Amino acid sequence: MQTVDFQKILPQFQLKGEVAEVKPLGNGLINDTYKVVTKGDAPDYVLQRINNAIFTDVDLLQHNIEVVTRHIRQKLEARGEEDIDRKVLNFVEAQNGKTYYCDEEGRYWRVMVFIPGAVTFETVNPEYSYLAGVAFGDFEKMLVDVPEPLGDTIPDFHNMEFRMQQLREVMAADPVGRVAGVKDILDLFERDAERMCQGERLFREGKLPRRICHCDTKVNNMMFDAETGKFLLVIDLDTVMPSLFFSDYGDFLRSAANTTAEDDPNLDNVGFNEELFKAFTKGYVESAGEFLTPLEVELLPYAVELFPFMQAVRFMWDYLSGDHYWKCRYPEHNLDRSRNQLRLYQEACKREPMMKEFIASLKK
C-alpha cells in the first residue's frame, strides 16, 4: 500500500487555516477518504483520493460535480433556503485552478469543505425510505434544467441492452466452462430480456428522456442534521450523470426492499418488502411527480423489476467470466448472488398489480 505524504498534497489546495491533524474518515469502498482538522476557526476539510481505475476520466468526473453542485446551490438560493453551505457540497479549488490535483505517483486528489454537525444513517426503515424518496426525487427535480451537458462517468452503467450483450459474449466464449451448469438461469434471462430492455428502446424512439440522476441511491448517501434529524443533502456525487429515471428509483428499491442480503444463498429468505416500497415510492412521487412524464410514472413498477434483473445478469456475467469483477469468498459466491437477485426480480414481478394500484392511489 502506497504511503500518503499529506504535507505535499494539502498545500496544492487553497485551504484556510493551519492543518492540525489528518485522520481516516468513513469506510467507503471506492475512494480513500480523510478528515483534515484545522486549528482555530477555520473550516475542517475532507480529502479524498479519487479511484481513477473506476473513474478513468477525472476531468469529466469533476466537471459533472462542479456543474451539479453549482446548479443546486443556485436552486437553494432561489428557494430562500438558509444554511446553504450545509445543504450542498463545496469543493475547494486547487492551485492549478481545477478541483482536483494529480500527484507524482499519478494519484488524483480532491478536497471538500467538511460539513459540521451532519450524520449519515445505515438504517433502512419506512421513515428513512420515505425521506430517501423525497430527497432523491428533489435532487433530480433541481437538475432538470442543468444549463450544460454532463458526460457519462461510467459509460453504459445502467444500460440493460449492454449488460445482456456482455452476458451473451461470455456465454459464447465460456472461458471457465461454467455455462452448461447454469443453463436453466440463462434461459430465464433470455426469456425476459426483450421486456427488460424496453427502456433503451423507448429512449431511442424518443419516448423516454435521459435525466440527470444520482445513480447510487442508498440511505447512507444522505446527510442529516445531528441535532434536529432534518435532511440536509445528498452526497457521493461521483456517479451523477445522464440516465433514464429508473437509475435512481429502481436501484434504491433493489437493495432496500430485499428482505435479506443480496448474497444470501437461501432463496427462501428472499422477499419483497412492500412497506419499504410504499414509503420510498410515496416520497419519490411527491417530489419527482411534477416533472415525471405519464409514461415514466406508468413504468415505475418496471423500474422496480429491472434492477434486480440487471444485477442478476451482471453477477452471472462475472461468474461465467471467472469472478474477476466482484470479490468472492467462495467459488459459487457470484452464482448465489445471481440466484438471489433473480428471485428478488420474480418476487417483484408477482407484486406488479399491487405496485400499480398503489402508484395510482398517489395520483388521486
Side-chain angles (χ1 to χ4, degrees), residues 106-122:
R107 297 173 297 187
Y108 288 84
W109 301 89
R110 65 186 173 198
V111 172
M112 294 163 274
V113 177
F114 179 79
I115 299 175
V119 295
T120 60
F121 297 106
E122 299 290 337

Side-chain angles (χ1 to χ4, degrees), residues 71-353:
H71 194 68
I72 289 175
R73 182 174 290 273
Q74 291 169 352
K75 290 285 185 176
L76 295 175
E77 290 171 350
R79 290 179 181 178
E81 292 272 359
E82 298 179 351
D83 206 12
I84 288 177
D85 285 338
R86 297 178 73 230
K87 295 179 179 178
V88 61
L89 294 177
N90 182 14
F91 286 79
V92 178
E93 193 170 284
Q95 306 297 353
N96 60 15
K98 299 179 179 292
T99 55
Y100 65 88
Y101 162 72
C102 183
D103 68 18
E104 296 172 352
E105 306 289 335
R107 297 173 297 187
Y108 288 84
W109 301 89
R110 65 186 173 198
V111 172
M112 294 163 274
V113 177
F114 179 79
I115 299 175
V119 295
T120 60
F121 297 106
E122 299 290 337
T123 306
V124 182
N125 59 25
E127 178 188 0
Y128 286 123
S129 294
Y130 169 76
L131 293 174
V134 173
F136 287 111
D138 190 52
F139 182 83
E140 289 181 19
K141 181 169 66 177
M142 287 193 286
L143 299 176
V144 163
D145 57 350
V146 165
E148 55 186 292
L150 303 187
D152 293 340
T153 54
I154 305 177
D156 294 313
F157 188 42
H158 287 161
N159 184 327
M160 190 64 239
E161 287 181 338
F162 172 72
R163 298 306 180 186
M164 281 304 302
Q165 176 188 332
Q166 283 184 310
L167 180 66
R168 288 165 179 153
E169 288 174 355
V170 78
M171 285 167 56
D174 197 12
V176 290
R178 289 175 166 177
V179 169
V182 293
K183 193 172 185 307
D184 58 330
I185 302 178
L186 298 175
D187 288 344
L188 287 173
F189 288 149
E190 288 293 353
R191 184 196 71 185
D192 290 3
E194 183 175 357
R195 184 175 80 90
M196 300 316 294
C197 290
Q198 66 174 303
E200 284 74 30
R201 292 196 301 274
L202 290 168
F203 169 71
R204 285 194 298 274
E205 293 167 4
K207 296 177 181 177
L208 278 182
R210 291 184 90 198
R211 302 192 179 279
I212 305 304
C213 296
H214 186 275
C215 296
D216 191 15
T217 46
K218 298 181 294 191
V219 164
N220 62 4
N221 276 336
M222 305 186 298
M223 298 199 85
F224 297 83
D225 187 286
E227 289 188 6
T228 66
K230 290 184 178 179
F231 168 75
L232 291 175
L233 77 163
V234 169
I235 59 172
D236 196 357
L237 306 182
D238 289 341
T239 54
V240 174
M241 56 185 157
S243 186
L244 300 176
F245 85 99
F246 311 142
S247 290
D248 285 354
Y249 177 74
D251 197 24
F252 179 89
L253 289 168
R254 181 194 73 80
S255 57
N258 195 345
T259 53
T260 191
E262 69 177 14
D263 61 352
D264 188 341
N266 186 348
L267 299 185
D268 291 337
N269 293 334
V270 179
F272 185 81
N273 189 318
E274 294 185 14
E275 189 178 11
L276 290 184
F277 159 78
K278 290 179 179 179
F280 180 75
T281 300
K282 182 176 186 296
Y284 184 78
V285 170
E286 281 179 10
S287 57
E290 66 183 67
F291 70 83
L292 292 175
T293 68
L295 179 58
E296 287 174 314
V297 174
E298 180 184 328
L299 289 172
L300 286 171
Y302 161 75
V304 177
E305 297 161 11
L306 171 64
F307 273 80
F309 183 87
M310 184 187 301
Q311 198 60 41
V313 166
R314 294 186 68 196
F315 284 140
M316 180 59 70
W317 160 77
D318 197 29
Y319 176 69
L320 298 182
S321 300
D323 305 315
H324 300 301
Y325 191 83
W326 281 281
K327 292 180 180 178
C328 292
R329 296 194 302 272
Y330 55 92
E332 309 295 311
H333 199 171
N334 268 326
L335 178 58
D336 285 342
R337 288 164 166 155
S338 184
R339 291 186 187 278
N340 177 299
Q341 291 296 286
L342 183 60
R343 175 61 64 87
L344 180 61
Y345 161 70
Q346 293 165 337
E347 292 296 313
C349 288
K350 290 177 187 176
R351 290 163 176 78
E352 188 171 309

